[in-house]
């Protein structure tokens, strides 16, 4: 590809080419932005609402306000740009997304030509044939509009994207997690070629260096499977027993309603994608394999990586930063993700190091600072079910390391004086974490205790709500016990027991 710059399109830094990124606030766009920043590319994010993206995280990234439906705003955004990523579509619109996409693409194509852009990289959808869904037809039409601009356009056509937070993956997750039997029309047996979000990003990055002529590349994961296979594999990895029950074709009409209830955040997008189930979304040409140095994952690895990556991000989360200030304990609410979060805060009249000391000694011979009878009872139940119970104790009565066992818990994160994250290893229908966070100074310390539960299907949700009153009482008592151990024995009057404040937070993690 020719360029007036002394650097090629794949080079970054202050002397590299300017990259324009549309759709940076979206799922794929957000992942791509982080990857471009890690590679030190100069990136300009085009968005209608700059406040939604916040301040740039690195000096080589800038955010500019512009609207694809208002062509007069595009000139400043495209000035000096060499390559642009076009990741925009209007499927969240209530109706007429095809016309909105058509108009936005035409405005972008005209602006790119007038600004002298050298390269457009566009993410489209896999699928071929005369009976394409409205969703896929619109995607392909946008690619044709961009190519007619005269600017070299690389169109990447992909199938289902596997990654925590993608509309397609969240639709699968919601159906499998909530329904013991998954009603689905027979079109779920249509062939697809899912791609992991990490592999998709590598293709998008690799497109910066493709030959200087317009081309369409079909990309996908290693495996050709069906949509039903994706649900079954997710269920297998989550240890859920699920059946896919085939329904008549007319059941497609109920998809928007069902998905809107189960996943309100992604319902409209997922419902539009359901309409595409009748089209096979598999790779039929091998051009991408000889052009891009990407070795895509298979379905099993892609789902496993999505779940693992999500767990790593969750383990690094500071709930003291994420959750609002604790309020009076309340019951009820509807979770917006599969994780259920309950948090309590207590003010302690001691320095942070004094507050963390008893936390670091928790479990084993020290006990749990309240209702030890409950923990021994829970351990006995766990042993009856084939678990370890309380018999493992601690490696050391004072020191903790990542990986240490504490009765039927394991240390997942420890930051002395600041944070301890434990993951439960007892038998239960889901996964449970317990986190302690410390913040403060000058003998005024805030102690936050957070329990996070990842329910395994409907049985796990029932487990959480049925045992919530017991767990709430036990964990609140533990928090007060930690305060008693932390504060001086003399000259300090402890607040009343009801000083523990808590709130149940249902948050995407």
């Amino acid at each position: 590809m020719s360029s007036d710059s002394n650097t090629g399109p794949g080079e970054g830094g202050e002397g590299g080419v300017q990259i324009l990124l549309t759709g940076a606030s979206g799922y794929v766009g957000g992942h791509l932005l982080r990857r471009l920043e890690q590679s030190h590319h100069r990136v300009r994010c085009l968005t209608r609402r700059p406040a939604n993206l916040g301040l740039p995280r690195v000096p080589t990234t800038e955010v500019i306000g512009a609207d694809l439906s208002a062509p007069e705003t595009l000139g400043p955004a495209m000035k000096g740009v060499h390559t642009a990523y076009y990741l925009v579509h209007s499927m969240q619109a209530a109706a007429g997304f095809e016309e909105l996409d058509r108009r936005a693409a035409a405005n972008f194509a005209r602006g790119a030509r007038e600004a002298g852009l050298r390269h457009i990289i566009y993410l489209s959808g896999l699928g071929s044939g005369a009976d394409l869904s409205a969703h896929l037809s619109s995607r392909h039409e946008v690619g044709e509009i961009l190519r007619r601009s005269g600017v070299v356009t690389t169109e990447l056509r992909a199938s289902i994207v596997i990654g925590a937070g993608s509309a397609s993956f969240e639709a699968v997750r919601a159906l499998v997690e909530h329904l013991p039997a998954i009603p689905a029309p027979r079109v779920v047996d249509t062939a697809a070629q899912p791609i992991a979000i990490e592999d998709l990003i590598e293709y998008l990055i690799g497109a910066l260096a493709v030959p200087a002529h317009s081309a369409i590349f079909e990309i996908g994961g290693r495996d050709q499977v069906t949509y039903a296979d994706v649900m079954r594999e997710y269920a297998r990895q989550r240890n859920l027993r699920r059946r896919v029950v085939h329904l008549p074709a007319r059941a497609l009409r109920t998809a928007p309603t069902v998905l809107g209830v189960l996943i309100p955040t992604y319902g409209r997008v997922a419902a539009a994608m359901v309409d595409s189930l009748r089209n096979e979304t598999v790779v039929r040409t091998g051009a991408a394999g000889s052009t891009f140095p990407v070795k895509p994952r298979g379905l099993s690895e892609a789902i496993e990586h999505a779940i693992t990556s999500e767990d790593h991000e969750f383990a690094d989360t500071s709930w003291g930063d994420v959750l609002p200030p604790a309020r009076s304990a309340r019951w009820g609410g509807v979770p917006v993700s599969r994780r259920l979060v309950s948090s309590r805060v207590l003010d302690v009249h001691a320095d942070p190091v004094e507050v963390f000391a008893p936390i670091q000694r928790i479990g084993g011979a020290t006990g749990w600072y309240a209702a030890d009878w409950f923990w021994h009872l829970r351990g006995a139940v766990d042993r009856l079910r084939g678990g370890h119970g309380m018999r493992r104790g601690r490696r050391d009565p004072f020191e903790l390391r990542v990986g240490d066992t504490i009765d039927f818990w394991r240390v997942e994160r420890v930051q002395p004086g600041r944070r301890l994250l434990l993951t439960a290893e007892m038998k239960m229908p889901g996964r449970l974490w317990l986190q302690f966070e410390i913040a403060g100074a000058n003998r005024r310390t805030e102690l936050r205790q957070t329990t996070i539960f990842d329910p395994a299907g409907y049985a796990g949700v029932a487990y959480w709500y049925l045992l919530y009153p017991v767990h709430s009482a036990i964990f609140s008592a533990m928090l007060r016990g930690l305060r008693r151990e932390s504060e001086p024995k003399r000259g300090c009057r402890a607040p009343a027991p009801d000083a523990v404040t808590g709130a149940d937070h249902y948050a995407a993690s």
Side-chain angles (χ1 to χ4, degrees), residues 32 37 56 87 93 101 174 178 216-217 220 236 328 334 342 454 458:
L32 179 59
E37 289 176 338
L87 307 178
D101 275 344
H178 291 91
I216 298 173
F217 295 96
R236 186 190 69 80
S328 300
V334 178
S342 176
D454 181 5
Y458 54 90

Side-chain angles (χ1 to χ4, degrees), residues 274-334:
V274 168
D275 183 48
S276 303
L277 292 180
R278 66 174 183 265
N279 303 122
E280 288 192 349
T281 55
V282 297
V283 174
R284 298 188 181 280
T285 66
S290 59
T291 304
F292 297 89
V294 180
K295 294 182 178 180
R297 298 165 173 82
L299 175 64
S300 178
E301 186 182 355
I303 292 178
E304 180 182 6
H305 196 265
I307 295 173
T308 302
S309 297
E310 188 178 35
D311 286 345
H312 284 316
E313 291 178 9
F314 153 75
D316 290 331
T317 298
S318 173
W319 294 101
D321 297 332
V322 174
L323 297 177
R327 302 182 294 275
S328 300
R330 60 186 174 87
W331 174 256
V334 178

Side-chain angles (χ1 to χ4, degrees), residues 162 194 221-223 225-226 229-231 233-234 237 297-304:
I162 302 294
R222 189 171 63 243
D223 300 330
V225 296
T226 68
D229 290 333
V230 177
M231 291 187 281
E233 177 58 25
Y234 178 85
Q237 295 199 24
R297 298 165 173 82
L299 175 64
S300 178
E301 186 182 355
I303 292 178
E304 180 182 6

Side-chain angles (χ1 to χ4, degrees), residues 381-395:
V381 172
D382 188 56
R383 290 189 65 177
L384 288 174
R385 300 189 61 195
H388 294 286
M390 298 280 282
R391 59 187 173 185
R392 294 187 301 180
R394 288 179 53 124
R395 176 188 59 83

Side-chain angles (χ1 to χ4, degrees), residues 137-174:
S137 294
S138 177
R139 288 295 186 93
H140 293 182
E141 182 186 13
V142 166
E144 181 59 32
I145 292 171
L146 295 176
R147 282 188 291 276
R148 288 203 301 263
S149 69
V151 179
V152 172
T153 299
T154 300
E155 180 176 345
L156 300 177
R157 293 183 175 178
S159 181
I160 308 169
V161 178
I162 302 294
S166 77
S168 51
F169 186 74
E170 293 304 325
V172 167
R173 189 210 298 278

Side-chain angles (χ1 to χ4, degrees), residues 325-330 342-349 369-370 436 445-451 468 471-484 487 494-504:
R327 302 182 294 275
S328 300
R330 60 186 174 87
S342 176
S343 187
R344 299 168 185 82
V345 174
L346 195 64
D347 289 328
V348 183
H349 298 283
Y369 300 105
F436 299 94
T445 299
E446 180 185 272
L447 169 59
R448 179 183 287 269
Q449 176 205 70
T450 306
T451 50
Y468 174 82
H471 288 162
S472 179
I474 295 297
F475 286 119
S476 293
M478 180 197 300
L479 205 59
R480 291 192 294 270
L482 285 168
R483 181 181 60 191
R484 286 192 299 271
E487 292 181 337
D498 63 359
V500 177
T501 58
D504 298 329

Side-chain angles (χ1 to χ4, degrees), residues 414-451:
V414 59
Q415 297 171 271
R418 294 180 54 195
R419 180 178 180 230
L420 174 65
L421 176 64
L422 306 176
T423 180
E425 295 189 331
M426 72 276 285
K427 302 289 186 178
M428 65 175 70
R431 297 181 296 171
L432 177 69
W433 291 267
L434 174 62
Q435 179 171 270
F436 299 94
E437 292 175 283
I438 304 295
N442 299 324
R443 307 200 67 76
R444 293 288 298 180
T445 299
E446 180 185 272
L447 169 59
R448 179 183 287 269
Q449 176 205 70
T450 306
T451 50

